[in-house]
Amino acid sequence: MFTGIVEELGTVVAVEPLDDGARLTVSGPLVTSDARHGDSIAVNGVCLTVVRSGDGEFTVDVVAETLRRSALRSLAEGDRVNLERAMALGDRLGGHIVQGHVDGTAVLRGERDGLTRFELPEELSRYLVEKGSITVDGVSLTVVDAGQREFTVALIPTTAELTTLGRRAPGDEVNIEVDVLAKHLERLAGPHLAARGRGAQALPGDNGGVREAR
C-alpha cells in the first residue's frame, strides 16, 4: 500500500529483457536505505518486488502483464522515475490510498489556464469525479475536471520539480490508477442496478415518467 507521495526521483540504470517480462535496475539511494529482498517499491506508480538491492540501487522483475498495462514498457536506461516505499502501519496518509496496481495509461495533452490535461480511455474515465483522487505515475493528485475521455489536474511547483511530471511533454504516456473505492462500488452495485433496470416498466406517472413495476 502506498500514499502517492513520491519520496525520490530515481534513475533507470539498466533494462534487461526477459522471456516473460523485463528486469529493471534503478538507482534510488533513499528508498534502498532500508530495502530488503521481497520489499515493495512503487516505480512510476507500479508496485514491484525487490529481488536485489545494494550500493544505492535495487532490481525488480516486471511481468509481461504489467508491461502490457503500464508505461514501464517504454523505460530505457537513463530515464527518471518516481519512487515510493510501501507505507508502514501508523504512517501519515499524505495522499490517498494507492495500491500500486496500475489500471492503464493516459496521454499528456498539454497545459491551459494553469491546468494539466490528460486523455485516458473511456472505460477508466467513469471512475473519475470532480475533486476526487487519481494517481498519475505514482503521484497522488486531485481531479479538477472530469470529462468523458479526459481529465485535468493542477500541478504545484513542488510536484513539478520533485517528480517526473515536471519533465513530461505533450504526447508522453503516463501510468494511471483510479480510486479503488470506485471500482469496488461499481462491482457491488452493478448487479443490483442491472436487476432494477430489467424490472422497470413504463407505467403512468405524474409526468409521464417511468416507475419500477412491483
Side-chain angles (χ1 to χ4, degrees):
M1 195 70 69
F2 306 89
T3 72
I5 304 299
V6 172
E7 293 186 276
E8 183 175 17
L9 200 57
T11 303
V12 176
V13 175
V15 179
E16 178 188 351
L18 302 176
D19 291 339
D20 57 349
R23 175 166 291 176
L24 302 179
T25 299
V26 180
S27 172
L30 175 60
V31 299
T32 57
S33 61
D34 59 352
R36 297 176 299 177
H37 182 275
D39 284 351
S40 296
I41 295 178
V43 178
N44 279 356
V46 182
C47 177
L48 298 172
T49 301
V50 174
V51 297
R52 185 171 60 246
S53 66
D55 298 325
E57 299 178 354
F58 67 96
T59 299
V60 292
D61 289 335
V62 189
V63 298
E65 170 68 5
T66 300
L67 293 176
R68 183 183 70 83
R69 281 184 174 266
S70 75
L72 293 188
R73 60 181 174 270
S74 62
L75 284 180
E77 183 178 336
D79 285 348
R80 306 303 300 273
V81 287
N82 297 322
L83 302 176
E84 181 189 356
R85 289 169 290 187
M87 66 180 296
L89 189 64
D91 281 355
R92 291 185 176 88
L93 186 61
H96 71 284
I97 296 175
V98 177
Q99 294 183 296
H101 302 163
V102 169
D103 294 294
T105 61
V107 177
L108 173 62
R109 289 308 182 197
E111 295 185 11
R112 185 174 59 189
D113 299 328
L115 299 178
T116 303
R117 182 169 64 92
F118 294 92
E119 181 181 345
L120 79 167
E122 190 171 350
E123 61 267 21
L124 293 181
S125 64
R126 69 176 183 265
Y127 299 113
L128 273 58
V129 294
E130 181 181 344
K131 300 301 182 289
S133 296
I134 189 167
T135 311
V136 180
D137 265 357
V139 182
S140 174
L141 298 170
T142 300
V143 176
V144 178
D145 300 304
Q148 188 172 4
R149 289 185 60 90
E150 67 176 33
F151 69 95
T152 61
V153 295
L155 297 180
I156 64 173
T158 297
T159 300
E161 178 185 356
L162 299 180
T163 73
T164 59
L165 298 185
R167 296 162 170 77
R168 294 295 190 183
D172 283 354
E173 191 177 35
V174 296
N175 295 321
I176 295 293
E177 181 184 331
V178 299
D179 192 342
V180 65
L181 296 179
K183 293 191 290 184
H184 278 304
L185 286 172
E186 180 184 62
R187 177 79 172 186
L188 291 170
H192 301 287
L193 294 175
R196 289 178 65 88
R198 289 193 298 269
Q201 299 178 10
L203 298 176
D206 294 340
N207 298 307
V210 175
R211 298 189 311 211
E212 184 181 354
R214 298 186 184 277

